[in-house]
Amino acid sequence: MNEPLPPAIDPANPSIHRWPDLGLTLIHDFITPAEEAVMIAAFHAVTPETTIKKRISQHYGHHFDYTTFGVTSRPTPLPEYISSFLPRLPLFPDRISTGATSDPPCPITPDDGDVLPDQFTVQYYPPGAGIPPHVDTHSMFSEALYSLSYGSAVPMMFRQAGQNEARKLRLPKRSLGGGGTEAPVAAATTAPEHPSWELLLPARSLLVMTGASRYGYVHGIKGRKTDMVGGEAVARQGRYSITMRSVRRGERVGCECAFPGVCDARVREEEEAAEGR
Ligand SMILES: [Zn+2]
């Protein structure tokens, strides 16, 4: 498995690692071990142990309906353990249209929806579990995607999206098996794939994807019982994550990224053009 290029380490804060060309940032120790313990306990307090044999999710904030591509009804209030770390979330000043960055984040305010995450997916991955490589929808979520890892470390796989992904995105809808953000796995693959590499996401780290890593790369987690970490085989433990996204609404729905091959907004334009609309 390939390693990513060495990161640029923030001189003012060595826990912040950046890959500027990829728009990728990894912040180590974003939460404390005490916060992590509270979060794990809170997850299990609302999820019966008997149901966690495979990857499972809890949803907070705005709900996104992948069949209608829209926000559904009322947001689910955030648990305290999420709202308590939200003020520390790094924002992206070039994306902020509402003024001072010192404004306290208000995660479920629609007017701020293009900047601050308002959709939260808490997931538990049992030991060995993964998630297929996918590109999150471009048109319905703002640029920055956040993933907070806790419980244990896991390697996240990245690979530049290519012709295979572009073709999958253009398959007739009925073959997509109910839709979703995850690319269908059964599609034929003939074009050679770009090389993949894995980035270890330590427990309590925050990954932020923007730019190329957000729009032009697939990301996923290989299902494995053992990971190679620093040359040593390490048994994979249960891992939790919180994926944080901002749902685009109204005029903000759409995308003008530099990766039209895997851009669902461009695919929709192509389909509309083909139908003569
Ligand atoms: Zn796009």
Side-chain angles (χ1 to χ4, degrees):
M1 177 51 64
N2 296 311
E3 301 273 332
L5 292 171
I9 296 175
D10 190 315
N13 184 347
S15 68
I16 302 178
H17 294 194
R18 291 190 181 88
W19 292 262
D21 292 349
L22 297 170
L24 199 59
T25 305
L26 181 65
I27 304 175
H28 294 249
D29 300 309
F30 183 75
I31 57 170
T32 65
E35 287 175 312
E36 178 184 40
V38 167
M39 291 163 68
I40 291 173
F43 179 91
H44 290 282
V46 295
T47 302
E49 292 295 325
T50 52
T51 65
I52 56 176
K53 302 257 187 300
K54 54 183 181 175
R55 178 165 61 90
I56 53 164
S57 308
Q58 299 169 355
H59 299 280
Y60 299 104
H62 284 289
H63 294 254
F64 188 76
D65 184 334
Y66 288 108
T67 54
T68 62
F69 261 51
V71 175
T72 59
S73 59
R74 289 155 53 90
T76 303
L78 302 187
E80 211 265 328
Y81 69 84
I82 291 181
S83 47
S84 68
F85 70 69
L86 270 187
R88 307 204 300 265
L89 212 62
L91 299 178
F92 291 84
D94 60 321
R95 298 274 151 192
I96 291 177
S97 57
T98 52
T101 56
S102 58
D103 288 348
C106 180
I108 312 191
T109 302
D111 289 342
D112 288 339
D114 212 25
V115 177
L116 298 163
D118 56 13
Q119 193 226 37
F120 303 82
T121 305
V122 182
Q123 299 203 77
Y124 172 69
Y125 295 75
I131 183 169
H134 63 281
V135 180
D136 286 56
T137 161
H138 289 193
S139 64
M140 296 306 300
F141 296 133
S142 296
E143 178 168 351
L145 301 179
Y146 301 82
S147 180
L148 178 62
S149 298
Y150 51 110
S152 71
V154 79
M156 181 165 278
M157 184 280 292
F158 288 88
R159 176 169 44 75
Q160 193 178 333
Q163 291 179 14
N164 289 329
E165 284 77 23
R167 196 167 48 239
K168 287 175 198 169
L169 201 56
R170 287 162 179 79
L171 289 174
K173 290 287 179 289
R174 65 180 176 278
S175 65
L176 290 177
T181 45
E182 295 164 25
V185 179
T189 56
T190 51
E193 291 190 343
H194 291 278
S196 64
W197 43 271
E198 289 190 327
L199 175 63
L200 187 72
L201 306 181
R204 301 180 296 282
S205 70
L206 178 71
L207 180 73
V208 191
M209 287 177 265
T210 66
S213 62
R214 153 73 167 108
Y215 290 127
Y217 279 66
V218 295
H219 60 275
I221 297 169
K222 296 210 165 148
R224 283 191 203 121
K225 294 292 184 194
T226 305
D227 294 306
M228 293 302 291
V229 179
E232 277 183 44
V234 177
R236 194 179 287 183
Q237 309 291 311
R239 178 231 180 196
Y240 307 78
S241 72
I242 305 178
T243 304
M244 295 170 265
R245 308 178 179 101
S246 169
V247 180
R248 296 192 207 261
R249 295 176 187 74
E251 292 179 353
R252 288 198 292 250
V253 173
C255 185
E256 297 176 348
C257 71
F259 305 90
V262 283
C263 181
D264 59 293
R266 265 53 167 263
V267 171
R268 215 162 302 133
E269 287 170 13
E270 291 167 16
E271 288 170 354
E272 287 171 4
E275 290 166 16
R277 279 190 271 156

